[in-house]
Amino acid sequence: MKRMMPVLTAALLLAGCTVPTATPDSAMESGTEPASEVVTTPTPEPAPTATPVPEEPGLDYDEIRMIVCEGSEAAELREGYYTMSRDGLWGLMRADGTEVLPCEALRPVAVCGAMRKWHWDVYRNWDELDALSAKMTAAGDGALCAAHGGSVHSFYYDLDSPGRDTTSVDLSALRYLQGGTPAWAVPMEEGCWDYFGDILPVYSAHEDPEGGPEMGWPGPMVEETRDDGQTVKWWYICRDGTALYPADLDKAGWFFDEALAPVETGGNWAYLNRSGELATEAIYDPICTTAFAKADEEPVSGAPLQNGYAVVRRGNGWGLLDENGVEVIPCEEQGVAWEGTTLWVKNDTGWHKTALPA
């Protein structure tokens, strides 16, 4: 019995009970009543709770937007930089958040193509602008553009091209509308395929008789009815001489070397794959303005993919789409910005640099 008591006591202690201690042999032999001694289970101390670490304040801009590069619409987007706004005025920052130009411009900052000359619409004297431009150049951030009349990159199919084969797609009828002010149309060159990609958005048009042969300006878009009864506005022409005819496109965006291109259909934007089929529903709102947008100009197009991702918006909710047409960031954020290298996401504490979803 004496050998069993410690086992019983331990079992009761584990059950959270109180038990009398074992009676010593001397007390039993003398016949006296030993004093009762009670053993209690100690109450464990509560585990310390972690103190929440408040999120560091992010960049306090109202909006961070991709840089539109030339073109009348968002044909190209500039990697490495963003234009950002505060209180309705716009500036320029590197993708890592470093400010290059303060938020003073009346409209989003745009850029002159490969020259990397920035359009920063502010009222300052020329000496100040020249000094600022020199500082930017020394830091490797390009320069300010002193004056610019606009530029354009687009393609159309010339229905009046001499000798055009009317029984199939004829690459000799493809025209590249390029230049500044004024622009001019030229026959397609191999370098254009290399730069703009193997699948190009085009529309059909007759030459503008008032433009003159040296200008080659196209007239209005011609809506064509195919043998299957489908009316085609925008379509895609491929480097190998084939074509894609997606149904009911009001606008067609660029693939470049990406898997998807933004397209407008039924008043909303969707994403088209390289087979000419919609990879997403037409549920997105436009987010890109023109390169020379006015201060109050509304967005006009969806964003092309850059390195496999594109920013998308549904109403006030922003998200990120991948090359499979999947929202890897659902359209629930206050803001999302992606220019091909660095992702920024906005919440109540500002804009935060964020890792791409795994």
Side-chain angles (χ1 to χ4, degrees):
M1 181 68 178
K2 291 181 181 178
R3 287 179 292 180
M4 295 295 294
M5 282 299 294
V7 177
L8 177 60
T9 303
L12 290 171
L13 285 173
L14 288 174
C17 301
T18 61
V19 297
T21 59
T23 304
D25 291 344
S26 58
M28 295 182 67
E29 292 172 357
S30 64
T32 60
E33 291 290 334
S36 178
E37 186 176 329
V38 177
V39 178
T40 60
T41 303
T43 303
E45 293 291 330
T49 57
T51 303
V53 178
E55 188 174 37
E56 291 291 329
L59 301 181
D60 64 346
Y61 300 118
D62 299 326
E63 187 174 352
I64 295 178
R65 189 181 292 183
M66 297 164 287
I67 297 288
V68 178
C69 177
E70 291 194 353
S72 57
E73 293 182 6
E76 301 172 74
L77 300 174
R78 171 65 64 187
E79 284 188 8
Y81 294 87
Y82 285 108
T83 183
M84 70 290 191
S85 70
R86 185 184 290 119
D87 299 327
L89 298 176
W90 294 84
L92 177 71
M93 76 178 202
R94 296 180 193 145
D96 65 5
T98 304
E99 181 181 285
V100 177
L101 294 170
C103 294
E104 297 180 12
L106 300 177
R107 57 188 179 184
V109 176
V111 67
C112 291
M115 293 183 292
R116 203 163 52 144
K117 290 190 175 181
W118 303 102
H119 301 279
W120 188 50
D121 186 10
V122 298
Y123 295 103
R124 286 195 184 187
N125 66 55
W126 287 109
D127 290 339
E128 287 181 323
L129 292 175
D130 287 344
L132 181 54
S133 184
K135 181 179 178 181
M136 292 172 62
T137 300
D141 292 315
L144 293 177
C145 186
H148 202 278
S151 61
V152 65
H153 296 293
S154 65
F155 298 87
Y156 71 97
Y157 193 71
D158 183 8
L159 298 175
D160 301 319
S161 178
R164 178 174 71 89
D165 183 355
T166 59
T167 64
S168 64
V169 175
D170 188 343
L171 290 180
S172 71
L174 182 59
R175 298 288 182 266
Y176 172 36
L177 186 60
Q178 64 164 351
T181 306
W184 59 93
V186 298
M188 188 67 174
E189 299 177 350
E190 284 300 308
C192 291
W193 292 111
D194 295 337
Y195 185 80
F196 290 104
D198 294 338
I199 306 177
L200 300 175
V202 298
Y203 59 92
S204 300
H206 294 283
E207 286 190 358
D208 182 356
E210 298 182 1
E214 70 282 357
M215 296 293 291
W217 268 94
M221 175 188 294
V222 173
E223 298 183 16
E224 300 179 274
T225 302
R226 294 172 46 79
D227 293 339
D228 58 5
Q230 177 182 330
T231 300
V232 175
K233 301 177 185 177
W234 285 91
W235 50 288
Y236 285 87
I237 193 167
C238 306
R239 192 173 191 167
D240 63 5
T242 58
L244 305 176
Y245 297 103
D248 304 320
L249 295 191
D250 298 314
K251 287 183 182 178
W254 299 75
F255 280 101
F256 292 106
D257 59 352
E258 301 286 349
L260 305 177
V263 293
E264 184 183 26
T265 177
N268 292 314
W269 285 82
Y271 282 82
L272 190 80
N273 66 26
R274 285 177 167 261
S275 298
E277 301 171 342
L278 291 182
T280 73
E281 296 181 79
I283 56 176
Y284 297 111
D285 296 304
I287 64 170
C288 292
T289 56
T290 62
F292 303 100
K294 297 178 181 178
D296 57 351
E297 183 174 318
E298 292 295 323
V300 295
S301 64
L305 268 68
Q306 293 178 275
N307 292 332
Y309 298 91
V311 174
V312 287
R313 177 175 67 91
R314 283 187 276 140
N316 294 324
W318 295 75
L320 190 71
L321 195 79
D322 73 5
E323 62 185 3
N324 298 311
V326 176
E327 288 183 18
V328 291
I329 296 179
C331 288
E332 299 171 355
E333 303 294 338
Q334 296 179 29
V336 175
W338 168 252
E339 45 58 76
T341 69
T342 308
L343 177 67
W344 290 86
V345 178
K346 185 181 183 183
N347 61 21
D348 290 339
T349 62
W351 289 88
H352 298 269
K353 193 186 300 184
T354 307
L356 284 169

